[in-house]
Amino acid sequence: MKVGALLTSAGINIGLCVLFLSLYSILRKQPQNVKVYFGRRIAEENNRLREAFILERFVPSTSWIIRSLRCTEDELLATAGLDAVVFNRILVFSIRIFSLAACLCVLGVLPLNYFGQDMLHVRIPSASLETFTIGNMQERSRWLWVHCVVLYAITGVACFLLYLEYKHIARLRLLHVSRAVTNPNHFTVLVRGIPKSTKESFSCTVESFFIKYHASSYLSHQIIYKVGKVQKIVSGAKKAYRKFKHFKGTTVGQRSRPVTYRCGLCGASSNSFQLLPVEPEQEGEKPDANDSDLNLPDEDCGAAFVFFKTRYAALIVSKILQTSNPMKWVTSLAPERDDVYWSNLWLPYRQLWLRRIATLLCSIVFMFLFLIPVTFIQGLTQLEQLQQRLPFLKGLLKKTYITQLVTGYLPSVILQIFLYTVPPTMMHFSTLEGPVSHSERKRSACIKVLFFTIWNVFFVNVLSGSAISQVNALSSPKDIPMQLARAVPVQATFFTTYVLTSGWASLSSEVMQLFGLIWNFIMKYVLRMKEDSYFVPSFPYHTEVPKVLLFGLLGFTCSVLAPLILPFLLVYFFLGYVVYRNQFLNVYCTKYDTGGLYWPIAHNTTIFSIVLTQIICLGVFGLKKSPVAAGFTVPLIILTLLFNQYCSNRLLPLFKTLPAQDLIDMDREDEQSGRMEDIHHCLHSAYCQFADTDDIPLKGIHVDRDEDGSGSSGESSCKDDSTQPTTATDISHPTLEGLPVSRLRHAVRSLGFIVRLQKRGLSSSKPAGPSSDVNPQTA
């Protein structure tokens, strides 16, 4: 690739970045986009912006950059949680280490690479980018020791900064644990693999087991029920009602009449819903607690939440082996209430290892299927082979600007388009594995996406980039280091354009929130939906963490070999530092937190990148026949691995479990202050499986009734709470006239009553007396 092709790619991406950032600074000021760019703040503060015309709203500004830079780490921690701080520290570490690498390599290594051989240097735009890599150095060059010294400097500073970051995040994790004084998951243990008994229910089995073996610390328990279908029906009905809640004080007729459905762009006619008359005896029918349909003993699953009196007791029970059979009575600390992934709690524990093997095989197959587009993309970077395979393109590729566009911009764009399919696929695989929490599922998807991108973006491009037909490079693993040494300097040009396309452009689209902006436009002006139905997203760690770590890998491996990539990487990390902080503060809502568990992933990936860089440099020094530089590289690899082992022994255990000393101190403080009884009382409702099945207050829904009760032209108010005033509003959505809100309300209440009966355990109790015959309208 020529320098002109690189400049073409850089110019296109710089133009896109400037355009997107300018549009963002304007669009964020528009009141109709407040839900897109300030979703988290609106959800917390419920603010509204004025609709008045202000000239400043249509002028680009940099105020959002200043606000994001002024935000301190404590403010970010309080706003977005510890995971956001960890992600921010990854960017800070990358900025620090690659700033040093850019100074050393661009000023010291790059001139040596450029003048490494006695040759006639043409004008820089027409020069090949390979002349700026270590491949341009002569064999047995006495200047190769400079590359070795720079490698030592980058490795030493990187390890020092990694240790400081590891200690800092470990301290924040301990503070995160100690500040969560009333966190119920510290007292709760998730028990899976409960043996099924023919004589007693799961509830009795759990109670008898923990009273027998943990009598001094056992408090209570809650069995997990498999009632997914009922729960989905209730949740779906309640979501449907929330979309109709702007019907307060509105008359909803029962008669069928033509209604025009308008979406803002077109119109069509149809018939509205028809409310069927309800018989008086059916309307007053009450669900009976003794009904056999409510008895669901077979719907219990072998899992339960067990509550303990102290945090220390819960920690001990979660870590020890309960029986001689490791597949029964499996215990672990419960996730936070909002983090529980209920669907996977119903999975039998004995299936999990089969699911993990199946998802691993599916991930491997998907990785190898992805070789097809990657191999095609590499063909675009090699014009000679491309012209041989597609002869009809010879005339078109003779034009200079077409050649620069095809080799400098198109390959990375196509690869980025294909990579958009990876995170959803890996998230689906992670769900099938059976994680019990949303954060665990997202963290598992993050690891899968990281492995996938490193393999397909780095190794496959490097090993197959020198020749498209040599996909069998893995047939001889012992030759991989030498192949990497030959290919990485050559493929560094592709990685540079990839940073421009996947890095700069992706940050611009991230700050623009293109998907959210388009969806907001469709909701407001096409579907004409209310703003209250807007969904505030959570931060996609499973896509952004692998992307940042991949760029770190490219920076380390190319720093000494092809330093020209470092300035572009620095721009990405600086821009990402500003953009992501702005998104954390304004856009994304933190629903659950792993407590900093993304940092060990970042640390291990960074160590892998450093060691891989050292191995590649060892191979390059061998190819250049510099035994001194190669000999000094071997101890550096050993020292880096020893440093990683020290961090694993010193700091990693803090991320695997909670320290008993801190938990005991928290227990003693709660007992002395008298808060322990209140905490125990809150535990019984902390992990309510059907917490979202409480009735929605439906007020002000008026239904036409005839004189016989089936329909009338007059209004009769159906109020649930006469003490609350109701206000009448007009129907603004033309497609919602005549909807059966009354029947929807009755369905929501009936389903909620049934689920509450199951939750209270009435299905497994003795037949109740007449007093248990409760009206669902007043339950």
Side-chain angles (χ1 to χ4, degrees):
M1 183 188 297
K2 305 295 183 181
V3 175
L6 177 62
L7 295 178
T8 301
S9 179
I12 294 174
N13 286 281
I14 290 174
L16 290 176
C17 288
V18 173
L19 176 63
F20 284 163
L21 294 178
S22 301
L23 287 176
Y24 167 72
S25 65
I26 296 175
L27 292 174
R28 68 191 298 270
K29 302 174 186 177
Q30 310 308 313
Q32 61 269 23
N33 298 329
V34 67
K35 288 287 185 178
V36 179
Y37 297 119
F38 299 95
R40 187 200 64 81
R41 293 175 58 181
I42 292 299
E44 292 182 359
E45 304 171 9
N46 196 23
N47 290 333
R48 299 291 179 183
L49 295 182
R50 296 182 300 167
E51 294 286 347
F53 176 82
I54 303 175
L55 182 61
E56 185 184 357
R57 284 168 35 196
F58 302 94
V59 178
S61 63
T62 59
S63 58
W64 64 277
I65 298 178
I66 298 174
R67 291 192 187 98
S68 61
L69 291 176
R70 286 179 177 175
C71 176
T72 63
E73 187 176 275
D74 292 336
E75 295 174 354
L76 186 63
L77 180 63
T79 302
L82 185 56
D83 287 341
V85 174
V86 169
F87 187 79
N88 183 69
R89 299 309 301 181
I90 296 174
L91 293 172
V92 171
F93 166 79
S94 301
I95 291 174
R96 290 176 177 175
I97 186 60
F98 291 118
S99 296
L100 172 70
C103 294
L104 294 178
C105 297
V106 174
L107 299 180
V109 175
L110 188 63
L112 295 178
N113 293 340
Y114 186 70
F115 296 103
Q117 292 186 7
D118 295 332
M119 56 181 294
L120 179 62
H121 293 283
V122 296
R123 297 174 59 186
I124 290 182
S126 303
S128 174
L129 290 177
E130 295 183 8
T131 58
F132 297 92
T133 67
I134 198 173
N136 197 46
M137 295 288 295
Q138 291 182 347
E139 295 184 358
R140 295 187 175 89
S141 174
R142 59 176 182 171
W143 294 109
L144 286 172
W145 66 268
V146 177
H147 297 74
C148 184
V149 170
V150 171
L151 181 63
Y152 261 86
I154 293 175
T155 301
V157 175
C159 292
F160 176 72
L161 294 176
L162 271 179
Y163 182 72
L164 293 181
E165 296 294 341
Y166 217 145
K167 284 187 62 177
H168 178 64
I169 296 173
R171 182 181 61 84
L172 292 179
R173 176 174 169 80
L174 294 178
L175 291 176
H176 173 77
V177 173
S178 61
R179 288 176 180 175
V181 179
T182 59
N183 199 343
N185 73 310
H186 292 169
F187 297 84
T188 310
V189 172
L190 174 62
V191 182
R192 308 181 73 181
I194 302 173
K196 190 173 183 179
S197 175
T198 57
K199 298 181 180 179
E200 56 184 5
S201 63
F202 279 120
S203 180
C204 296
T205 302
V206 172
E207 184 176 7
S208 60
F209 178 84
F210 283 96
I211 288 179
K212 182 177 180 180
Y213 297 104
H214 302 279
S216 60
S217 58
Y218 169 74
L219 183 63
S220 62
H221 71 278
Q222 176 183 317
I223 294 296
I224 299 171
Y225 295 92
K226 184 179 180 180
V227 286
K229 293 183 179 180
V230 177
Q231 183 72 7
K232 288 179 180 178
I233 294 174
V234 174
S235 301
K238 300 187 79 168
K239 288 179 180 178
Y241 174 73
R242 289 189 182 99
K243 295 181 180 180
F244 308 145
K245 66 182 180 181
H246 59 275
F247 273 99
K248 277 189 176 182
T250 303
T251 300
V252 182
Q254 283 183 311
R255 302 179 185 275
S256 177
R257 58 184 180 272
V259 177
T260 300
Y261 294 79
R262 299 187 185 277
C263 65
L265 300 178
C266 57
S269 297
S270 178
N271 290 330
S272 68
F273 290 95
Q274 181 178 3
L275 289 179
L276 300 179
V278 181
E279 298 296 334
E281 59 272 12
Q282 293 179 356
E283 191 171 11
E285 187 177 353
K286 306 172 184 178
D288 188 4
N290 301 326
D291 192 353
S292 60
D293 293 339
L294 296 180
N295 297 326
L296 300 172
D298 294 335
E299 296 300 323
D300 298 351
C301 60
F305 289 113
V306 181
F307 309 108
F308 292 87
K309 297 179 181 178
T310 61
R311 300 174 180 86
Y312 178 71
L315 177 65
I316 294 300
V317 172
S318 67
K319 296 302 178 183
I320 63 175
L321 191 65
Q322 300 297 323
T323 65
S324 57
N325 186 353
M327 299 298 291
K328 293 183 178 180
W329 296 103
V330 182
T331 57
S332 61
L333 279 179
E336 296 181 0
R337 169 63 181 86
D338 296 333
D339 195 16
V340 177
Y341 196 79
W342 293 98
S343 300
N344 284 343
L345 293 181
W346 308 331
L347 299 175
Y349 184 77
R350 59 181 178 272
Q351 287 185 4
L352 296 184
W353 68 278
L354 292 174
R355 287 173 170 267
R356 287 167 184 157
I357 293 175
T359 53
L360 176 62
L361 294 177
C362 292
S363 301
I364 294 174
V365 170
F366 183 63
M367 288 173 64
F368 279 97
L369 288 177
F370 208 81
L371 290 175
I372 299 174
V374 173
T375 304
F376 169 75
I377 290 167
Q378 282 302 325
L380 297 179
T381 62
Q382 303 174 26
L383 291 180
E384 296 79 7
Q385 296 189 16
L386 187 63
Q387 292 176 357
Q388 292 177 3
R389 295 175 181 272
L390 302 174
F392 61 90
L393 293 178
K394 289 184 178 180
L396 185 63
L397 293 177
K398 290 181 179 179
K399 299 180 180 180
T400 305
Y401 65 93
I402 295 294
T403 302
Q404 294 178 352
L405 183 65
V406 170
T407 60
Y409 186 72
L410 198 58
S412 54
V413 171
I414 297 176
L415 179 60
Q416 183 64 22
I417 293 174
F418 279 103
L419 286 176
Y420 279 127
T421 63
V422 176
T425 305
M426 294 305 177
M427 180 64 79
H428 181 66
F429 289 159
S430 298
T431 305
L432 295 179
E433 280 185 347
V436 297
S437 65
H438 293 279
S439 60
E440 183 182 352
R441 179 183 64 150
K442 187 171 286 189
R443 192 161 55 91
S444 176
C446 173
I447 296 174
K448 290 182 176 62
V449 174
L450 179 62
F451 288 162
F452 185 93
T453 52
I454 289 178
W455 167 252
N456 281 283
V457 176
F458 182 78
F459 284 102
V460 173
N461 278 283
V462 168
L463 295 177
S464 64
S466 56
I468 298 179
S469 59
Q470 295 180 359
V471 186
N472 58 348
L474 297 179
S475 59
S476 54
K478 63 179 181 180
D479 297 333
I480 290 180
M482 300 305 294
Q483 293 181 4
L484 290 175
R486 294 188 184 95
V488 168
V490 177
Q491 289 301 310
T493 56
F494 169 76
F495 295 145
T496 304
T497 59
Y498 181 79
V499 169
L500 294 172
T501 304
S502 180
W504 294 13
S506 66
L507 286 178
S508 303
S509 61
E510 166 65 28
V511 74
M512 275 282 292
Q513 291 290 296
L514 291 177
F515 177 79
L517 194 65
I518 296 172
W519 178 241
N520 181 66
F521 176 82
I522 293 175
M523 284 200 311
K524 282 181 174 293
Y525 302 108
V526 179
L527 302 178
R528 299 185 182 276
M529 297 174 64
K530 294 294 183 179
E531 289 185 357
D532 296 337
S533 60
Y534 184 78
F535 172 73
V536 181
S538 59
F539 188 76
Y541 290 100
H542 64 293
T543 62
E544 304 307 313
V545 171
K547 185 182 299 182
V548 174
L549 295 179
L550 173 66
F551 289 144
L553 171 68
L554 297 180
F556 279 112
T557 52
C558 298
S559 57
V560 178
L561 306 181
L564 202 59
I565 194 176
L566 294 176
F568 301 101
L569 271 176
L570 269 180
V571 173
Y572 166 78
F573 287 123
F574 275 115
L575 186 60
Y577 178 79
V578 175
V579 167
Y580 287 121
R581 286 167 71 92
N582 176 76
Q583 302 302 87
F584 280 125
L585 294 175
N586 298 319
V587 178
Y588 294 110
C589 180
T590 302
K591 301 176 182 178
Y592 43 80
D593 200 289
T594 66
L597 294 183
Y598 286 102
W599 177 254
I601 300 175
H603 174 84
N604 293 333
T605 305
T606 304
I607 292 294
F608 170 78
S609 303
I610 295 173
V611 173
L612 179 63
T613 302
Q614 295 165 355
I615 293 175
I616 295 175
C617 288
L618 179 63
V620 171
F621 294 151
L623 290 176
K624 296 298 180 180
K625 299 179 180 180
S626 177
V628 176
F632 275 97
T633 306
V634 175
L636 187 60
I637 299 175
I638 299 174
L639 292 174
T640 305
L641 295 176
L642 290 177
F643 165 77
N644 182 54
Q645 187 62 35
Y646 173 77
C647 291
S648 299
N649 296 333
R650 169 66 178 83
L651 299 170
L652 184 59
L654 296 175
F655 292 82
K656 291 184 176 180
T657 185
L658 303 178
Q661 179 183 4
D662 294 348
L663 297 183
I664 293 174
D665 291 340
M666 295 169 66
D667 289 334
R668 290 175 178 174
E669 183 180 354
D670 289 337
E671 291 174 355
Q672 293 174 1
S673 62
R675 292 195 302 263
M676 191 63 78
E677 293 184 2
D678 295 335
I679 295 176
H680 290 169
H681 179 72
C682 296
L683 288 177
H684 297 283
S685 59
Y687 285 87
C688 180
Q689 188 172 356
F690 311 108
D692 60 342
T693 58
D694 297 334
D695 287 337
I696 300 177
L698 309 177
K699 305 182 183 69
I701 305 297
H702 305 284
V703 182
D704 289 345
R705 297 279 183 181
D706 292 335
E707 292 181 359
D708 59 354
S710 61
S712 173
S713 60
E715 289 183 341
S716 62
S717 175
C718 263
K719 297 182 182 180
D720 295 323
D721 187 1
S722 60
T723 62
Q724 297 293 335
T726 59
T727 58
T729 57
D730 296 331
I731 298 179
S732 59
H733 200 307
T735 65
L736 299 182
E737 290 188 16
L739 288 177
V741 178
S742 178
R743 297 275 68 81
L744 180 62
R745 175 182 59 187
H746 184 73
V748 171
R749 289 188 161 209
S750 300
L751 291 172
F753 174 76
I754 294 173
V755 173
R756 285 200 305 277
L757 288 181
Q758 299 174 11
K759 179 181 68 175
R760 295 170 183 171
L762 295 179
S763 60
S764 59
S765 63
K766 296 180 180 181
S771 61
S772 64
D773 193 11
V774 184
N775 190 343
Q777 298 289 341
T778 60

